[in-house]
Amino acid sequence: DGGITQSPKYLFRKEGQNVTLSCEQNLNHDAMYWYRQDPGQGLRLIYYSQIVNDFQKGDIAEGYSVSREKKESFPLTVTSAQKNPTAFYLCASSIGLLVSYEQYFGPGTRLTVT
Amino acid sequence: GQNIDQPTEMTATEGAIVQINCTYQTSGFNGLFWYQQHAGEAPTFLSYNVLDGLEEKGRFSSFLSRSKGYSYLLLKELQMKDSASYLCAVRDRQGGKLIFGQGTELSVKP
């Protein structure tokens, strides 16, 4: 079955620690995205990637970093510089960025930093 | 600027019809998406409109008016499982990215 996996579903960290959230897709999609969702709010774009070895900042990239070394994988690192890291993080992919196809979402990772 | 507005909450009765509105002001337009999201889960795709008019898909329909910057999602024969958040998202012409509204939390009551 093709899809997007994110792990773990729940993640707990102490303040000041960096943490990496994984995202893997086997849909052969070129474009991948990371969103953050806070209670009662819509999705906000953190980073996106159109192709391997290339990625762009979204609307709220500060305090986050990504890499795209393989087509299937787009891990997100939440650094200690991110002031309010506790949130629900969603990874998505689509066939391409500049085409009119929907984005497919992974199940999400709920990160709690204390 | 970019702005997408949806009502925060709506309540409807099982078996009824509900219309969820979305208005948008964006620097470009290249299509509008509706997603459904159950609590704590991933959003799932419902519909896509790029031309004016109504798109029907089973119990769900979506309408777009580009001149008015307006869309709605119509849900018929409501079921309890339709209780969820409904997200409106506009594709930005420049970058192809999606801009999401805050979502409308729909509660379906017996």
Side-chain angles (χ1 to χ4, degrees):
Chain A
D1 275 336
I4 303 179
T5 56
Q6 291 184 244
S7 60
K9 191 163 179 64
Y10 298 94
L11 192 54
F12 298 87
R13 280 292 183 271
K14 294 288 187 188
E15 196 173 315
Q17 293 179 334
N18 290 357
V19 59
T20 298
L21 283 57
S22 87
C23 177
E24 303 278 330
Q25 55 99 359
N26 61 4
L27 300 167
N28 201 32
H29 285 171
D30 282 320
M32 296 187 75
Y33 315 80
W34 273 105
Y35 293 92
R36 169 186 172 133
Q37 187 174 35
D38 294 284
Q41 296 193 31
L43 279 62
R44 292 185 290 169
L45 183 64
I46 304 172
Y47 268 98
Y48 64 102
S49 167
Q50 292 190 66
I51 199 165
V52 175
N53 293 322
D54 180 65
F55 48 83
Q56 307 294 329
K57 291 182 180 180
D59 301 317
I60 55 165
E62 187 175 346
Y64 299 98
S65 66
V66 293
S67 63
R68 187 89 187 273
E69 296 175 4
K70 297 187 299 182
K71 187 175 186 177
E72 308 81 40
S73 179
F74 191 41
L76 173 76
T77 297
V78 184
T79 76
S80 56
Q82 168 49 232
K83 299 209 184 320
N84 295 297
T86 295
F88 187 47
Y89 290 89
L90 286 158
C91 177
S93 71
S94 66
I95 292 175
L97 179 66
L98 298 176
V99 291
S100 302
Y101 294 107
E102 71 265 28
Q103 293 181 13
Y104 294 81
F105 286 84
T109 292
R110 189 167 297 280
L111 173 65
T112 303
V113 177
T114 57
Chain B
Q2 320 251 56
N3 194 43
I4 300 178
D5 281 321
Q6 306 177 232
T8 305
E9 299 175 329
M10 297 183 73
T11 302
T13 304
E14 192 176 13
I17 299 173
V18 70
Q19 177 176 311
I20 302 174
N21 296 325
C22 172
T23 58
Y24 63 89
Q25 292 175 302
T26 55
S27 57
F29 180 83
N30 195 17
L32 187 144
F33 294 81
W34 283 96
Y35 282 84
Q36 180 191 60
Q37 186 181 25
H38 286 99
E41 297 182 10
T44 55
F45 169 77
L46 289 177
S47 69
Y48 170 68
N49 295 70
V50 67
L51 299 176
D52 290 350
L54 188 68
E55 294 279 343
E56 296 186 78
K57 193 187 291 186
R59 293 189 300 113
F60 293 5
S61 303
S62 57
F63 171 84
L64 175 67
S65 168
R66 288 171 296 170
S67 62
K68 295 181 179 174
Y70 169 69
S71 173
Y72 68 72
L73 180 70
L74 194 70
L75 292 74
K76 303 175 189 174
E77 301 168 17
L78 280 172
Q79 303 175 8
M80 299 299 288
K81 68 178 182 180
D82 296 329
S83 292
S85 184
Y86 291 85
L87 309 176
C88 171
V90 172
R91 184 185 295 281
D92 180 340
R93 178 181 291 280
Q94 285 185 320
K97 299 173 291 181
L98 290 185
I99 304 159
F100 283 84
Q102 80 216 33
T104 298
E105 191 69 38
L106 174 66
S107 297
V108 179
K109 308 287 187 189

